[in-house]
């Protein structure tokens, strides 16, 4: 029996729950939403991103298969497909955008002097390629 922490819980431990709650409070994110907190939603979406889940059904099935470990991974409530869909629709997206900006602000000084592997004189931007694929499929 494994008595150590999961890899996911070790990754999540680097996220400041206090800073996240400040972002939630700024936009009143958990108000009128009892079943799934913003924190649990963000954990579910982070888990989905890290494990390459492709749908809400896929997220639910994968989390359900590890139901005994969810508490140790940081989840405080059961993640159901419909509840996650409702949370994705109801919770304000600015909560997660603000928290992402705080994480970027924390990481930026840590890697300011690190080489990128490419010498650039200008800023570097990352693009989500899914929109490019979607546009090419719609407009050949």
């Amino acid at each position: 029996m494994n008595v150590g922490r999961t890899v996911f819980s070790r990754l999540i431990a680097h996220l400041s729950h206090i800073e996240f709650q400040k972002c939630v409070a700024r936009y009143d994110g958990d108000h009128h939403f009892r079943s799934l907190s913003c924190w649990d939603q963000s954990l579910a979406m982070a888990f989905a991103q890290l494990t390459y889940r492709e749908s809400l059904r896929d997220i639910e099935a994968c989390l359900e298969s590890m139901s005994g470990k969810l508490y140790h991974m940081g989840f405080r409530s059961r993640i159901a497909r419909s509840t996650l869909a409702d949370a994705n629709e109801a919770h304000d997206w600015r909560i997660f955008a603000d928290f992402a900006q705080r994480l970027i602000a924390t990481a930026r000084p840590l890697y300011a002097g690190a080489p990128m592997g490419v010498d650039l004189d200008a800023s570097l931007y990352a693009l989500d390629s899914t929109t490019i694929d979607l546009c090419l499929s719609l407009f050949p």
Side-chain angles (χ1 to χ4, degrees), residues 19-67:
E19 289 296 323
F20 185 80
Q21 286 307 117
K22 287 179 185 177
C23 296
V24 171
R26 184 175 301 119
Y27 297 105
D28 204 18
D30 283 334
H31 187 68
H32 296 301
F33 209 85
R34 283 187 259 155
S35 57
L36 188 67
S37 68
C38 290
W39 180 251
D40 282 340
Q41 179 191 8
S42 67
L43 290 180
M45 299 314 284
F47 180 82
Q49 185 70 31
L50 292 171
T51 58
Y52 303 107
R53 302 294 115 198
E54 296 180 355
S55 66
L56 293 177
R57 186 178 307 271
D58 196 11
I59 296 168
E60 179 190 34
C62 190
L63 288 174
E64 186 66 30
S65 71
M66 296 185 293
S67 60

Side-chain angles (χ1 to χ4, degrees), residues 16-17 25 48-49 55 60 62-63 68-69 71-72 80 82 101 103 108 111 113 115 117-119 125 128 131 137:
S16 172
H17 189 36
Q49 185 70 31
S55 66
E60 179 190 34
C62 190
L63 288 174
K69 299 177 186 173
Y71 181 81
H72 302 290
S82 60
Q101 290 300 321
L103 291 176
R108 184 170 281 151
Y111 296 98
V118 179
D119 290 331
Y125 297 97
D128 183 7
T131 56
S137 66

Side-chain angles (χ1 to χ4, degrees), residues 92-140:
D92 195 345
W93 61 270
R94 295 176 294 180
I95 296 167
F96 308 104
D98 280 1
F99 188 60
Q101 290 300 321
R102 291 190 185 254
L103 291 176
I104 290 169
T106 302
R108 184 170 281 151
L110 295 174
Y111 296 98
M116 289 189 299
V118 179
D119 290 331
L120 298 174
D121 294 330
S123 296
L124 178 66
Y125 297 97
L127 297 176
D128 183 7
S129 63
T130 55
T131 56
I132 296 169
D133 184 38
L134 178 65
C135 290
L136 290 177
S137 66
L138 289 176
F139 307 105

